[in-house]
């Protein structure tokens, strides 16, 4: 269930500019808020209360640790787009276009040539 | 009966618009060539003089999410908004409102159900870049009503390559049976080899250039036997974690038909992926 919840975090935050800003600026506080009040929402009225992060998942999200998220089987597309939103502009200013995306790839090189962790739920 | 005027199968690169409209001094070296190829490709649709577009795209966690994830979905609305906030942010895509074609959507939905494809459907569907990018490249005036179809290429378990082919064949039958004097074009987008969020992403070209060359050849020749012999979920994973988008190109070839050679075949090796542009004219060949 929690792998689903990690994907739900990435999905809901990536598509909401206010959440994204809060996740970028103060990830520890935002992850706690999300887990308590945003994640359980099914709609404006209904709540689903049985999901939660494992300690490892929570720390990976707090630390923007996309390597750990990849290794846990978080969906690659959700993980890539949210961290591009957070880091791409700063990297581009310092090191040019695609420098964040290439660093992302470089930090995952230990998986090259191996079967990746499955993103199936 | 309606006329299937053209079938277009293309990759959808969300950076095309940004790459070709940036100030010239900021453009990537391939920008001018890219623009030329896309404009030549656009002409293959213009030449077909379509009245309606059946558009096939892959979900990118925009329309669908894992709480309730369809395998195949058809839009049945009178109008469709595009684009999502995170695509404007990341790709610089503009917003659109596209007209729908409700009558063909209803006919298509029923026809596909009758042929064993149990589609999900939506009356409030926002369009994402897998359909908007082909609009930008092949019909930038965005002036034709659309019937949007979305597929799951992202959330395992995925349908097989054969199932995508069979869906293409069923869409073809439904278009052929549509009681109308309209000219319909089918425009669909997918990927060749592609890696996103993995160790092979954003290299100098796609993660498996050999697959890309073979894949274009199979599509160009309508060689479904070679595709089904060679392309599996496992083989696509070896060619990049997002290569499963190739199945939407198989679907489009299914609409064109087997052993039907494409009239227009072009491609461009870009950073991190190869672009492909194929067009079939069913009126002019066997299908």
């Amino acid at each position: 269930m929690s792998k689903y919840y990690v994907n739900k975090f990435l999905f809901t935050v990536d598509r909401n500019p206010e959440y994204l800003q809060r996740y970028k600026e103060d990830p520890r506080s935002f992850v706690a808020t999300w887990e308590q009040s945003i994640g359980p929402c099914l709609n404006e009225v209904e709540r689903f209360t049985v999901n939660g992060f494992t300690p490892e998942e929570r720390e990976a999200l707090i630390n923007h640790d996309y390597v750990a998220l990849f290794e846990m089987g978080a969906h690659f597309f959700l993980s890539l787009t949210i961290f591009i939103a957070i880091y791409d502009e700063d990297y581009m200013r310092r090191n040019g276009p695609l420098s964040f995306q290439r660093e992302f790839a470089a930090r995952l090189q230990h998986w090259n040539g191996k079967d990746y962790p499955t993103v199936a739920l | 009966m309606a006329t299937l005027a053209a079938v277009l199968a293309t990759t959808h690169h969300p950076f095309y618009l940004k790459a070709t409209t940036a100030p010239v001094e900021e453009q990537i070296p391939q920008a001018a060539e890219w623009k030329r190829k896309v404009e030549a490709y656009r002409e293959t649709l213009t030449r077909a003089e379509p009245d309606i577009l059946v558009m096939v795209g892959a979900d990118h966690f925009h329309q669908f999410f894992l709480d309730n994830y369809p395998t195949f979905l058809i839009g049945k609305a009178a109008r469709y908004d595009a684009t999502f906030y995170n695509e404007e942010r990341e790709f610089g895509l503009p917003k659109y409102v596209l007209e729908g074609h409700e009558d063909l959507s209803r006919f298509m939905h029923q026809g596909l159900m009758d042929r064993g494809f149990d589609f999900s459907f939506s009356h409030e569907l926002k369009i994402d870049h897998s359909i908007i990018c082909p609009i930008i490249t092949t019909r930038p005036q965005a002036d034709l009503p659309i019937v949007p179809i979305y597929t799951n290429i992202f959330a395992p378990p995925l349908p097989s390559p054969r199932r995508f082919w069979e869906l293409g064949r069923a869409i073809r039958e439904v278009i052929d049976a549509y009681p109308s004097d309209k000219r319909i074009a089918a425009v669909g987008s997918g990927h060749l080899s592609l890696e996103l969020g993995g160790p092979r992403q954003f290299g100098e070209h796609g993660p498996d250039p050999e697959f890309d060359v073979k894949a274009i050849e199979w599509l160009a020749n309508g060689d479904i036997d070679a595709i089904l012999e060679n392309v599996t979920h496992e083989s696509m994973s070896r060619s990049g974690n997002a290569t499963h988008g190739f199945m939407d190109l198989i679907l489009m070839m299914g609409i064109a038909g087997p052993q039907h050679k494409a009239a227009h075949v072009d491609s461009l090796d870009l950073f991190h992926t190869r672009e492909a542009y194929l067009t079939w004219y069913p009126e002019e060949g066997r299908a």
Side-chain angles (χ1 to χ4, degrees):
Chain A
M1 286 300 264
S2 57
K3 186 160 143 183
Y4 166 75
Y5 218 37
V6 168
N7 285 331
K8 184 174 181 182
F9 178 94
L10 300 172
F11 170 75
T12 54
V13 178
D14 185 59
R15 57 172 39 207
N16 182 316
E18 183 207 328
Y19 292 170
L20 190 64
Q21 192 64 26
R22 288 164 64 189
Y23 181 47
K24 180 175 180 175
E25 289 173 355
D26 189 353
R28 184 169 294 278
S29 161
F30 180 73
V31 169
T33 301
W34 189 92
E35 198 171 2
Q36 288 158 19
S37 60
I38 301 169
C41 290
L42 286 180
N43 58 39
E44 288 175 6
V45 175
E46 303 296 340
R47 292 168 71 80
F48 195 73
T49 61
V50 301
N51 283 319
F53 296 132
T54 65
E56 293 76 18
E57 289 166 343
R58 192 177 294 112
E59 281 306 300
L61 290 171
I62 288 168
N63 295 321
H64 295 172
D65 187 348
Y66 50 80
V67 175
L69 292 170
F70 179 91
E71 291 171 347
M72 291 171 186
H75 199 280
F76 52 84
F77 186 80
L78 294 167
S79 185
L80 176 63
T81 60
I82 195 169
F83 291 112
I84 282 178
I86 291 173
Y87 288 110
D88 183 42
E89 269 187 37
D90 294 341
Y91 272 66
M92 183 141 46
R93 265 196 298 276
R94 281 201 307 269
N95 298 313
L98 302 179
S99 53
F100 172 68
Q101 289 85 336
R102 286 179 175 141
E103 180 175 308
F104 190 132
R107 290 188 56 203
L108 284 166
Q109 279 312 300
H110 53 295
W111 283 99
N112 211 345
K114 296 184 203 166
D115 289 340
Y116 299 170
T118 180
V119 297
L121 296 176
Chain B
M1 294 298 110
T3 298
L4 179 60
V7 181
L8 277 70
T10 176
T11 46
H12 58 253
H13 199 310
F15 287 120
Y16 171 75
L17 188 64
K18 208 171 175 178
T20 54
T21 56
V24 174
E25 63 277 10
E26 293 172 22
Q27 289 186 1
I28 59 171
Q30 304 100 321
E33 185 185 11
W34 197 0
K35 192 159 185 276
R36 275 196 305 277
K37 284 176 181 279
V38 163
E39 287 176 353
Y41 187 53
R42 183 178 306 155
E43 180 52 32
T44 70
L45 180 63
T46 308
R47 172 188 150 189
E49 300 182 332
D51 301 306
I52 307 170
L53 301 178
V54 172
M55 301 209 61
V56 177
D59 170 65
H60 296 83
F61 291 116
H62 285 123
Q63 298 85 355
F64 305 171
F65 188 60
L66 303 162
D67 58 333
N68 193 346
Y69 205 107
T71 298
F72 300 120
L73 178 142
I74 185 164
K76 300 179 78 175
R79 287 189 188 80
Y80 301 93
D81 275 308
T83 305
F84 285 80
Y85 146 74
N86 54 9
E87 299 173 294
E88 292 181 78
R89 177 195 75 206
E90 193 170 336
F91 311 135
L93 297 177
K95 288 200 177 291
Y96 290 84
V97 178
L98 300 176
E99 293 296 313
H101 198 290
E102 289 177 284
D103 190 64
L104 180 54
S105 277
R106 273 193 293 270
F107 188 83
M108 180 70 72
H109 188 196
Q110 184 64 57
L112 293 174
M113 293 289 267
D114 292 345
R115 287 163 178 79
F117 289 88
D118 303 332
F119 264 58
S120 299
F121 63 94
S122 173
H123 290 267
E124 190 173 14
L125 180 68
K126 191 161 187 172
I127 299 300
D128 87 341
H129 72 269
S130 66
I131 285 181
I132 279 302
C133 290
I135 287 286
I136 289 168
T137 52
T138 67
R139 194 76 182 184
Q141 59 272 52
D143 61 340
L144 296 176
I146 68 164
V147 172
I149 289 174
Y150 274 98
T151 65
N152 172 19
I153 55 109
F154 255 7
L158 305 176
S160 66
R162 180 180 295 279
R163 187 71 172 157
F164 277 76
W165 164 258
E166 289 168 348
L167 176 56
R169 296 307 299 155
I171 291 171
R172 170 61 180 273
E173 285 183 16
V174 179
I175 291 173
D176 285 347
Y178 184 51
S180 164
D181 59 0
K182 299 291 187 192
R183 294 174 64 77
I184 298 172
V187 181
S189 77
H191 312 129
L192 296 172
S193 74
L194 182 64
E195 176 106 338
L196 299 171
R200 295 173 289 175
Q201 69 177 1
F202 289 92
E204 294 308 310
H205 48 65
D208 190 345
E210 287 179 25
F211 168 80
D212 293 344
V213 170
K214 279 190 286 192
I216 291 170
E217 190 182 331
W218 293 329
L219 292 169
N221 292 322
D223 193 349
I224 186 59
D225 294 338
I227 288 177
L228 295 181
E229 274 168 31
N230 289 283
V231 179
T232 63
H233 290 153
E234 292 70 28
S235 77
M236 286 186 282
S237 294
R238 286 195 298 275
S239 298
N241 64 356
T243 304
H244 298 77
F246 179 61
M247 291 191 291
D248 275 330
L249 304 183
I250 300 173
L251 188 163
M252 299 315 295
M253 195 180 91
I255 301 176
Q259 283 79 55
H260 192 137
K261 284 192 186 297
H264 179 92
V265 181
D266 202 359
S267 71
L268 178 65
D269 200 5
L270 276 172
F271 67 95
H272 90 109
T273 188
R274 180 181 279 271
E275 293 292 276
Y277 313 105
L278 295 107
T279 301
W280 294 266
Y281 293 112
E283 286 177 283
E284 295 174 11
R286 190 165 68 86

